Amino acid sequence: MLVCKHSVKVTLERAACAALLLLVCGFTVAQDRVKLATQIWTPYQTVDQNGTIGGVAVDRVKCTMQKMGRPYEIHVMRWDKAQLMVETGHMDGFFSGSTNSQRATYATPSSPVVSEYLAWFIAPSVTQDLDDETSKYNLRYGAKFNTSKWLFLKRQGYNVIKKPRDADALLQMLWQGDLDVAYEYELVFEDSLKKAGIPLDYFKKVRLKKQDLMMHFSKNFLSETPNFLERFNASLEKCL
């Protein structure tokens, strides 16, 4: 019989000015813990006032690992560090993220943990049609800095002028008139709107596409644990 005990350990990384929260699931079966990294990204990955890690994506990952009978750890840190830790072999996987060419060099994605719409959120003062090619250069665009969304805008030639650290900062830039258009996942931005007390319909919203967000496992980890990804995907399907 498997017995799972959860505990949360909180430390402060002074150099990075970020908290590291550790969720450990220990089983009586002797197996190496699968070390997973993530970021605080409501409503997908959250940490409450008691230091408890939760959210839609976290709950699905926890359910999946438990159905697999694998002990695991979830570390919360900056998003760029989460990816670097997997790339350098200090973590086995990170979530939740879309696929891109850089991540594909060192990690393999799972089946989608979450599927969510990406959308433009447009300031009320903007009258230009975003389908007009010139809007890419005339308007001021923003997305969370150094994410796939931010890099996509840069590569496509959009006029990206800010480097917000998260969706809350992105919203404030749009709200204060420093940006004309924000590019973010629908539920993430709407969560920021609710926290700020701004009506959900204050900004015009244009849905673009539905994006899959996955767990990305280190290729080295998968090579050392045959059939792990297949078992993870099969268990994840039961947790959606």
Side-chain angles (χ1 to χ4, degrees):
M1 177 179 179
L2 296 176
V3 179
C4 179
K5 298 181 179 179
H6 293 130
S7 63
V8 177
K9 174 184 177 184
V10 180
T11 62
L12 182 64
E13 297 180 304
R14 296 184 183 277
C17 297
L20 173 66
L21 294 95
L22 175 63
L23 176 63
V24 179
C25 180
F27 292 85
T28 56
V29 177
Q31 287 181 298
D32 291 336
R33 289 186 179 128
V34 180
K35 294 181 289 185
L36 306 173
T38 192
Q39 63 173 329
I40 297 175
W41 193 30
T42 57
Y44 305 128
Q45 295 106 225
T46 65
V47 178
D48 66 18
Q49 293 180 343
N50 297 319
T52 302
I53 302 172
V56 176
V58 170
D59 290 345
R60 289 176 179 175
V61 169
K62 288 164 59 177
C63 171
T64 300
M65 298 303 295
Q66 289 166 6
K67 285 188 179 298
M68 292 176 68
R70 285 299 301 261
Y72 64 94
E73 304 172 356
I74 297 178
H75 299 250
V76 179
M77 61 190 74
R78 295 192 323 271
W79 188 229
D80 57 347
K81 182 176 181 181
Q83 296 168 81
L84 180 61
M85 293 286 275
V86 173
E87 185 174 8
T88 56
H90 294 88
M91 291 283 163
D92 301 317
F94 67 86
F95 71 99
S96 305
S98 59
T99 58
N100 63 39
S101 57
Q102 173 60 24
R103 293 167 183 169
T105 61
Y106 61 88
T108 301
S110 70
S111 296
V113 175
V114 175
S115 294
E116 183 53 75
Y117 281 104
L118 281 162
W120 297 126
F121 291 88
I122 308 165
S125 59
V126 173
T127 58
Q128 186 170 3
D129 186 349
L130 267 61
D131 290 332
D132 182 344
E133 181 70 14
T134 62
S135 69
K136 294 172 62 173
Y137 320 111
N138 297 336
L139 299 178
R140 299 164 299 165
Y141 289 80
K144 182 181 174 183
F145 177 59
N146 208 27
T147 61
S148 293
K149 299 180 294 297
W150 190 86
L151 294 171
F152 168 80
L153 293 180
K154 294 289 286 185
R155 285 195 299 267
Q156 296 300 315
Y158 285 87
N159 180 30
V160 182
I161 63 170
K162 296 290 185 178
K163 299 179 179 180
R165 68 185 183 280
D166 53 32
D168 293 342
L170 178 65
L171 168 60
Q172 288 303 314
M173 291 175 184
L174 189 63
W175 173 254
Q176 293 168 9
D178 297 324
L179 293 174
D180 298 311
V181 184
Y183 185 45
E184 184 53 275
Y185 288 105
E186 185 175 348
L187 289 185
V188 172
F189 201 79
E190 290 182 350
D191 183 79
S192 293
L193 285 168
K194 291 174 184 176
K195 288 187 292 185
I198 300 173
L200 296 183
D201 60 355
Y202 182 82
F203 301 105
K204 181 182 178 181
K205 178 178 67 179
V206 178
R207 279 181 171 177
L208 299 177
K209 62 177 180 177
K210 204 164 192 178
Q211 181 73 59
D212 292 330
L213 303 174
M214 294 81 133
M215 173 76 74
H216 295 259
F217 288 109
S218 160
K219 290 184 176 180
N220 288 336
F221 168 75
L222 292 178
S223 69
E224 295 169 358
T225 51
N227 302 319
F228 181 92
L229 185 58
E230 291 80 359
R231 292 178 56 227
F232 181 91
N233 287 337
S235 297
L236 174 61
E237 187 175 350
K238 301 174 184 176
C239 295
L240 299 178

